[in-house]
Amino acid sequence: MTPAQPPRAVSLQRQLLTAVLGLLGVVWVVMILVTWQDTEHEVSELLDAHLSQAASLLAVLPLDDLTRLDFQETPELHEYQSKAVFQVWHNDQMVVRSATAPTALLAPLSCQGMSKVRAAGEDWWVFCARGRDEHVVVQVADRDKARADVVMASVWSVVWPMALAFPFVGLGVWGAVRHAVHPLAELGQMVTERRPDADDPLPLARVPHEARPLVLALNRLFERMNVVLHAERRFTADAAHELRTPIAAIRMQAQVAQGALDAEERNEALAATLTGCDRASHLVEQLLQLARLEALADATGEGCDLRRVLDWVLGDLRPVAARRGQTLHCEVTPSPASSPLGCPVPEGLMVILLRNLVDNALRYSPDGSQVRVQVDVDAHGQRRLAVDDNGPGMSSADLQRLGERFFRVVGSAQPGSGLGWSIVRRVAGLYGLQGQVMRSPDLGGLRVTFCWKGIP
């Protein structure tokens, strides 16, 4: 099977040149046609006036004077003189005619004024007038071909300079178009030579106004790519740094188990190995979550029903809380239990945010304690999610650093990676949730709240 041929690249310069020259050619053709029509009208008006004037001069002369004149020997004073002719008729008999006039009647004697006729094998424009004697008819005429020659000569005097100038105009248009699109070629060369790790935006100094939206879009694209690239680099560095410790601990415990002399020592080492594996697995999961979130420079996606997310997350974590005798309580007011509870965060990311919040509250609260999740709506339609625990809380200095990667409170006995709060803060920032951390007024530990405008 023959592979499909890639579409040919469209040349902007060729398109502009074709469009401009084509439009110029059409305009010139229209100008020539209009000039032809206008010239033909003006020439006809001028020659008709000359014929009427000549006819009126002949009509006022007495018939005797006309018959005494010998028009056959009239000297030719102009090259176009032979194109115009006249006849004088009296009582249906031609009594006088010019040297080049035909002997046949040009137009019916009953005609008056200007008319176009066919006589002596040619087309004529004839002006007929009555003399002093009503039996005298004067007919002055010129050939239609002569008029056409005058019109053609007039139009040609306009056409040939335009035709001569067309190649030079085309060359000028080509140069102007080439100069106009040259900045685009420079821009393409600049993008081609750009290093993959370059993080500086493309300069706008020499970019034409019409190409600025393209350059601005490219700069935004480069900015997003840099965010993703830096996120990948941070993820690689974080993963290498944080996985080193649990892997070393697992290796050490495996060596202890391998060299243990009794079953109790071996079982303790194997249990510590499993704990280290769980910690490494949890760390890898959180690193992957954070890496995916860092790539979401432009957060998109539909919101979710928070009630359903609460049911899923709390249902999964209740067995974890029960193993330590903890109580996981949830209150949603004043929304009816059957109606959805809108949240702007997509369902998958809201599960990550809520799971990290509740997991941290359970992890750092003592056995037999209570963790409470509340959702309420104020009078302005703003919704609030609050998670309270009765753990040890945090000092003001530690609260300032909350959300930094791998930050953990000094002296904490609970295992963890310090990434949970980074994940929560990133999800909230992507979707405009306003967060606050304080001491819980009811349970004495931490209270974490996130607020957002209600959506259907």
Side-chain angles (χ1 to χ4, degrees):
M1 184 176 180
T2 305
Q5 295 292 331
R8 295 182 59 184
V10 178
S11 171
L12 182 61
Q13 178 175 325
R14 186 181 297 111
Q15 283 187 332
L16 286 175
L17 192 61
T18 302
V20 172
L21 291 181
L23 180 62
L24 188 60
V26 170
V27 170
W28 279 7
V29 169
V30 172
M31 287 177 58
I32 290 172
L33 293 178
V34 172
T35 302
W36 188 304
Q37 229 175 9
D38 189 62
T39 302
E40 189 174 38
H41 174 74
E42 294 299 327
V43 167
S44 296
E45 291 289 327
L46 179 63
L47 295 181
D48 288 349
H50 288 173
L51 292 181
S52 65
Q53 186 178 27
S56 63
L57 290 175
L58 292 173
V60 298
L61 292 176
L63 181 62
D64 294 339
D65 293 342
L66 289 174
T67 56
R68 286 197 299 268
L69 296 175
D70 185 7
F71 291 99
Q72 301 299 318
E73 300 298 330
T74 302
E76 187 171 340
L77 302 178
H78 194 276
E79 58 178 325
Y80 284 102
Q81 182 175 332
S82 61
K83 309 290 184 182
V85 300
F86 69 88
Q87 296 176 342
V88 179
W89 296 78
H90 179 253
N91 291 330
D92 299 334
Q93 297 291 325
M94 184 171 61
V95 293
V96 178
R97 69 181 179 90
S98 61
T100 56
T103 57
L105 180 64
L106 289 173
L109 296 177
S110 59
C111 289
Q112 291 292 321
M114 182 65 65
S115 61
K116 184 178 181 181
V117 297
R118 179 80 176 173
E122 295 182 276
D123 291 327
W124 299 82
W125 288 93
V126 182
F127 190 90
C128 300
R130 292 283 176 178
R132 289 181 176 181
D133 184 351
E134 63 178 7
H135 298 289
V136 175
V137 177
V138 176
Q139 294 184 344
V140 182
D142 59 8
R143 292 174 174 81
D144 182 65
K145 184 178 181 303
R147 294 193 174 200
D149 291 342
V150 174
V151 172
M152 179 63 72
S154 301
V155 173
W156 178 246
S157 65
V158 176
V159 170
W160 77 262
M162 296 174 63
L164 184 63
F166 193 85
F168 299 98
V169 173
L171 187 62
V173 170
W174 175 81
V177 170
R178 183 178 177 85
H179 178 73
V181 301
H182 183 67
L184 296 180
E186 290 183 343
L187 179 61
Q189 186 67 24
M190 192 185 307
V191 174
T192 302
E193 297 175 353
R194 184 182 177 87
R195 302 189 316 275
D197 58 343
D199 57 1
D200 54 314
L202 295 174
L204 294 172
R206 299 184 58 188
V207 177
H209 178 73
E210 292 77 9
R212 281 178 177 266
L214 173 62
V215 177
L216 292 174
L218 285 174
N219 286 338
R220 288 193 294 269
L221 175 62
F222 293 150
E223 184 179 353
R224 292 194 296 269
M225 291 175 61
N226 287 330
V227 170
V228 175
L229 182 61
H230 291 322
E232 291 179 353
R233 290 173 178 171
R234 286 197 300 268
F235 170 74
T236 303
D238 295 342
H241 178 268
E242 290 301 314
L243 286 174
R244 187 181 297 115
T245 299
I247 290 175
I250 292 171
R251 177 180 177 82
M252 183 184 68
Q253 295 297 335
Q255 290 175 341
V256 170
Q258 188 178 31
L261 300 178
D262 54 34
E264 183 179 358
E265 184 182 2
R266 183 181 300 108
N267 289 336
E268 290 179 356
L270 291 176
T273 301
L274 291 176
T275 301
C277 289
D278 291 340
R279 183 189 173 195
S281 177
H282 181 70
L283 175 61
V284 169
E285 180 182 356
Q286 288 193 315
L287 283 170
L288 291 175
Q289 289 178 358
L290 190 59
R292 286 193 296 267
L293 291 174
E294 291 288 3
L296 293 175
D298 294 323
T300 57
E302 297 182 355
C304 69
D305 178 9
L306 183 57
R307 188 184 301 280
R308 184 165 60 176
V309 174
L310 285 169
D311 292 340
W312 288 348
V313 173
L314 299 184
D316 289 343
L317 293 178
R318 277 197 173 93
V320 178
R323 286 197 291 269
R324 297 179 56 196
Q326 295 172 320
T327 302
L328 193 52
H329 183 64
C330 180
E331 296 179 6
V332 179
T333 57
S335 177
S338 59
S339 63
L341 193 61
C343 178
V345 183
E347 193 169 81
L349 294 181
M350 193 61 195
V351 169
I352 293 175
L353 182 146
L354 189 59
R355 185 184 296 276
N356 277 282
L357 283 178
V358 179
D359 182 68
N360 279 345
L362 293 173
R363 187 187 299 271
Y364 293 100
S365 296
D367 295 348
S369 62
Q370 179 183 3
V371 173
R372 186 172 62 196
V373 180
Q374 290 179 296
V375 180
D376 54 31
V377 183
D378 63 16
H380 303 288
Q382 181 165 286
R383 295 178 179 176
R384 183 188 65 166
L385 168 67
V387 179
D388 292 78
D389 63 61
N390 55 2
M394 299 177 68
S395 65
S396 299
D398 290 337
L399 285 176
Q400 294 295 325
R401 298 191 60 191
L402 190 62
E404 295 181 8
R405 291 185 177 188
F406 307 111
F407 168 72
R408 300 187 67 221
V409 178
V410 178
S412 175
Q414 294 297 328
S417 61
L419 288 176
W421 269 106
S422 296
I423 294 172
V424 169
R425 189 176 65 174
R426 182 59 173 154
V427 172
L430 286 173
Y431 294 92
L433 274 62
Q434 299 175 0
Q436 185 180 15
V437 182
M438 61 174 61
R439 179 168 294 277
S440 174
D442 299 328
L443 301 182
L446 282 183
R447 164 174 283 189
V448 182
T449 62
F450 285 102
C451 301
W452 66 92
K453 281 291 185 182
I455 60 176

